[in-house]
Amino acid sequence: MAKSNALMGSSSPVTFTTTILLLRSLLVSGQGVVLTSVEVPEHVSRGQDVELKCLWNLTSHKLYSVKWYRDGREFFRFMPSESPAKAVYDQPGIHVNKEMSTGETVILRNVDLSSGGRYKCEVISDGEFHTADKSGIMMVVEVPEENPTIHGTKHKYHIGDNARLTCVSANSTPPAQLTWYINDRKVPPEYLVQAPSVKYPNGLMQTRLGLSFVITRNHFQNGEMTLRCSARVSSIYHKTQQHSIDGHLTYNVPVMESRDLAAYSGSARSCTPPILATALVFAAMLVKMVVGGALKRYPS
């Protein structure tokens, strides 16, 4: 009997806790309150107004309250039984438009970089106070209007040259993701030179990514090579900058390796004098034969 009680004592807390969680889940999804949707935008731009939405179904009771939290701290409450029904609690970076906010919608005005975080909607029904909540993470971003810039470009590239360039993003938060392309093809990892990002006092960041490779014939398509850098911030910013070598610059890229061309040119120059000398000797012999034959045919 003592053994049986000991076993019950060791397992009952786990069983009890699991039972409570299951009952709570059944109450929330069954006869209490069901949250059908919580809409928190994933990325928003600094300075814009943001709309948060919370939709629910009450199965057997009236609404008691709707509460909104940012990172665990309440900043807005709607209680239809109270007067006034709406209450706002100050938090850094959160400015609620109280007049435009309702039980289902909360409007945040003029968000800044400190407004990001996890936003949670909690709905409580009257009577037995069934509770349901859902959350989503919002990040406030600042994206530039400028394109990224490419540094270290040259007007001429010969086969065998070392190309060394750096792509620099415009300031943003979060930092831009940079990608290099050659002729619209993503460069292999061994071409990339990683560089540290620069963070400024205003919270914005500048990203840099180097490109280094030895130029070969394969880097030219129809006599043209295009180097392109792409900067992306999530799905709200995507701009590129490119540097092309084409047109008259194509003629600065020899068909053969430069050392082969030099060897060919040198050998051609060294062969020219023997050819001329041989031609002169052959011409002299030909003249002698013609003159000698004429003298034999027509003796004086």
Side-chain angles (χ1 to χ4, degrees):
M1 188 69 178
K3 183 178 181 180
S4 176
N5 289 338
L7 289 173
M8 290 178 63
S10 63
S11 61
S12 58
V14 177
T15 305
F16 179 76
T17 303
T18 305
T19 303
I20 292 298
L21 291 174
L22 289 173
L23 287 173
R24 185 177 183 274
S25 176
L26 289 172
L27 287 171
V28 168
S29 61
Q31 60 182 14
V33 55
V34 178
L35 275 179
T36 58
S37 175
V38 171
E39 298 179 12
V40 178
E42 183 178 0
H43 294 99
V44 296
S45 297
R46 182 166 76 166
Q48 76 175 79
D49 293 346
V50 177
E51 182 181 71
L52 309 174
K53 284 189 176 182
C54 185
L55 305 178
W56 64 86
N57 285 328
L58 296 173
T59 58
S60 60
H61 299 280
K62 294 182 180 180
L63 177 69
Y64 175 71
S65 69
V66 180
K67 299 179 181 180
W68 278 93
Y69 301 82
R70 197 273 302 267
D71 293 337
R73 293 181 58 191
E74 184 180 2
F75 66 88
F76 178 79
R77 178 183 298 183
F78 175 75
M79 299 182 68
S81 60
E82 298 289 329
S83 182
K86 294 182 280 188
V88 175
Y89 305 97
D90 291 337
Q91 277 197 42
I94 296 182
H95 311 285
V96 178
N97 187 329
K98 188 175 180 180
E99 182 180 350
M100 298 294 294
S101 298
T102 66
E104 296 182 347
T105 303
V106 174
I107 304 297
L108 304 181
R109 296 182 293 106
N110 191 29
V111 297
D112 57 36
L113 298 180
S114 65
S115 303
R118 179 176 289 278
Y119 285 80
K120 181 179 74 173
C121 174
E122 178 188 76
V123 180
I124 304 175
S125 65
D126 203 352
E128 298 183 11
F129 299 104
H130 299 147
T131 304
D133 62 72
K134 285 186 178 180
S135 64
I137 296 177
M138 183 181 79
M139 177 180 289
V140 181
V141 303
E142 180 167 340
V143 295
E145 296 182 359
E146 301 88 352
N147 294 346
T149 56
I150 297 177
H151 300 269
T153 58
K154 294 182 179 180
H155 295 294
K156 293 181 181 181
Y157 285 104
H158 296 276
I159 291 175
D161 287 350
N162 289 317
R164 296 185 180 91
L165 306 97
T166 302
C167 181
V168 180
S169 72
N171 298 348
S172 68
T173 183
Q177 300 293 321
L178 299 178
T179 307
W180 274 106
Y181 299 86
I182 298 178
N183 299 328
D184 294 327
R185 296 186 64 179
K186 193 173 179 180
V187 303
E190 58 267 23
Y191 282 20
L192 300 177
V193 180
Q194 302 296 332
S197 299
V198 179
K199 187 172 184 179
Y200 293 93
N202 61 2
L204 301 182
M205 298 188 70
Q206 182 188 80
T207 310
R208 300 171 179 233
L209 183 63
L211 179 68
S212 179
F213 64 100
V214 177
I215 295 176
T216 68
R217 296 189 197 89
N218 295 331
H219 292 125
F220 289 85
Q221 293 182 353
N222 299 322
E224 179 180 4
M225 177 173 65
T226 301
L227 306 175
R228 178 165 59 91
C229 177
S230 168
R232 183 184 296 273
V233 178
S234 184
S235 60
I236 58 178
Y237 172 86
H238 181 214
K239 293 195 175 184
T240 64
Q241 185 66 272
Q242 72 178 35
H243 176 68
S244 297
I245 301 102
D246 57 8
H248 69 280
L249 294 178
T250 301
Y251 300 103
N252 292 321
V253 182
V255 176
M256 295 184 295
E257 299 288 350
S258 57
R259 60 179 180 272
D260 295 338
L261 182 60
Y264 175 81
S265 299
S267 63
R269 287 192 299 268
S270 63
C271 290
T272 301
I275 293 174
L276 291 176
T278 303
L280 291 173
V281 171
F282 179 78
M285 292 175 62
L286 183 60
V287 170
K288 184 176 180 181
M289 291 173 60
V290 171
V291 173
L295 292 175
K296 290 181 181 180
R297 185 175 300 179
Y298 306 103
S300 55

